[in-house]
Amino acid sequence: MKKTILSGSTVTGDLTLGNYIGAIHNWKQLQEKYDCLYFLADLHALTVFQDPKVLRDRTYSFFAQYLALGLDPQKNIIFVQSQVPEHTELSWVLTCLTPMGYLNRMTQFKEKSEKHVKNINAGLYTYPILMAADILLYQADLVPVGEDQRQHLELCRDIVGFFENRYGEGILKMPEAYIGKSGARIMSLQDPEKKMSKSDENEKNFVSIIDDAKKIEKKIKGAATDSGTEIKYDPETKPGLSNLMTIYSVLSGKTTEELEKEYEGKMYGHLKVDLADVVVQTLRPVREKYDDLMKNKDHLDQLMKSGSERARARSRVTLENVYKAVGLVR
Ligand code: TYM
């Protein structure tokens, strides 16, 4: 029996190098060995204001970005969250098991409610419970995510514990986070103290995976680096440079030590020029495939539909077991 992997991304902004390196790069490798489900978290996107048209267009765009990045709809189940109503159904049961005290601790809720002061809605608060439902519906063993999602994963494990205490074991599987060794936290290009985020208002802070070559070069060359000249990987004293070296290392397959040797005696500028080239070469075929996929929305619709049907068939089994266990008449 292959282990089950599940992960997703919220449909906001465009996928960035941070999403690629922290998550999708790993998803691609996992699809070869595991039973994988990857989805677009469009319901999660509703926790902040969304223009309906933009959200609709973006859902197609994200789906095409997943495929263009190398996720294969034959090897994996790729689907859209809102097309599988079991997610919200399980989420309600789990909401009734989750103490508010646990939600109060979520750092992402705190950060997001500071950022969206005019819209601190209940969905923003219960967001991690929906995320737990996403994972638990499919009996996922491993959840490949970046470092920023670790706390949500821990809450998901707590929720399994609450469920088991009340209703017994064997109904929901205890998942584990799968966090890559390097690149689990790619930082903003202009402000390496904060993470690279696709919903950042300042475009210079991130490289989107569908940026063109010119934009990529401009953003990487303009990235903030630190004082000094030596090319040395040291996130404490050289956070800007180290961030660029992490990106370089993951995309080129070279270790940061190898990069230090290669750039001995050279300037930051040299590394930036070469890194921009590596990023452009990595993303060029992605962009081409993306443009191609976006020309045929009907094809994307068909793929979404078949992914969602396959996901529903799997998720329904867990949901029925949960409903029976909690005493709902079926
Ligand atoms: P999201 O959309 O913010 O990010 C998608 C994935 O990319 C990772 N990531 C990063 N990794 C490294 N460096 C960065 N700067 C960076 N920024 C983002 C994230 O850790 C994530 O793995 N709540 C989730 C979506 C979600 C989900 C789930 C994930 C909903 N349900 C169930 C896993 C399982 C989110 O908003 O990710």
Side-chain angles (χ1 to χ4, degrees), residues 6-12 15-24 27 39 41 44 62 66 81 108 112 127 130-132 134-135 143-150 152-153 183-188 194-198:
L6 174 127
S7 201
S9 182
T10 304
V11 186
T12 45
L15 291 170
T16 67
L17 263 187
N19 299 123
Y20 177 61
I21 293 174
I24 299 172
W27 302 0
F39 73 102
H44 277 97
F62 261 54
Y66 273 21
Q81 188 184 32
Q108 220 173 63
K112 285 201 178 164
Y127 173 117
L130 178 59
M131 186 164 158
D134 300 335
I135 297 166
V143 184
V145 284
E147 191 60 51
D148 61 331
Q149 298 297 325
R150 189 189 285 278
H152 291 161
L153 252 297
R185 194 167 167 82
I186 298 297
M187 308 311 280
S188 149
K194 64 177 209 206
K195 77 162 187 177
M196 183 181 284
S197 161
K198 56 179 145 60

Side-chain angles (χ1 to χ4, degrees), residues 63 78 83 300-311:
F63 200 83
I78 306 180
Q83 294 180 4
L300 293 177
D301 264 326
Q302 276 163 18
L303 290 175
M304 280 181 194
K305 185 165 178 270
S306 92
S308 302
E309 277 167 3
R310 288 166 71 199

Side-chain angles (χ1 to χ4, degrees), residues 167-269:
Y167 303 111
E169 292 180 10
I171 299 163
L172 297 177
K173 188 176 259 178
M174 187 67 87
E176 257 172 62
Y178 171 96
I179 298 182
K181 281 190 201 75
S182 72
R185 194 167 167 82
I186 298 297
M187 308 311 280
S188 149
L189 294 178
Q190 294 294 324
D191 179 2
E193 300 294 326
K194 64 177 209 206
K195 77 162 187 177
M196 183 181 284
S197 161
K198 56 179 145 60
S199 45
D200 200 315
E201 275 127 37
N202 182 359
E203 256 207 57
K204 289 185 186 157
N205 282 334
F206 58 85
V207 171
S208 145
I209 64 131
I210 52 172
D211 275 346
D212 60 30
K214 238 176 155 179
K215 259 195 187 169
I216 295 172
E217 278 160 11
K218 207 164 162 210
K219 287 178 180 180
I220 301 237
K221 286 179 193 162
T225 31
D226 323 278
S227 56
T229 50
E230 196 192 358
I231 302 221
K232 194 168 167 8
Y233 180 79
D234 184 352
E236 286 294 312
T237 60
K238 292 176 180 270
L241 176 71
S242 302
N243 188 39
L244 297 182
M245 289 177 79
T246 303
I247 298 173
Y248 200 154
S249 162
V250 175
L251 298 186
S252 68
K254 296 176 188 169
T255 63
T256 48
E257 291 81 33
E258 282 168 340
L259 291 173
E260 282 175 357
K261 274 202 198 106
E262 194 176 323
Y263 286 92
E264 215 177 295
K266 293 193 180 158
M267 316 279 279
Y268 291 168

Side-chain angles (χ1 to χ4, degrees), residues 18-32:
N19 299 123
Y20 177 61
I21 293 174
I24 299 172
H25 182 68
N26 294 328
W27 302 0
K28 235 172 37 174
Q29 287 162 358
L30 294 165
Q31 73 181 352
E32 305 303 333

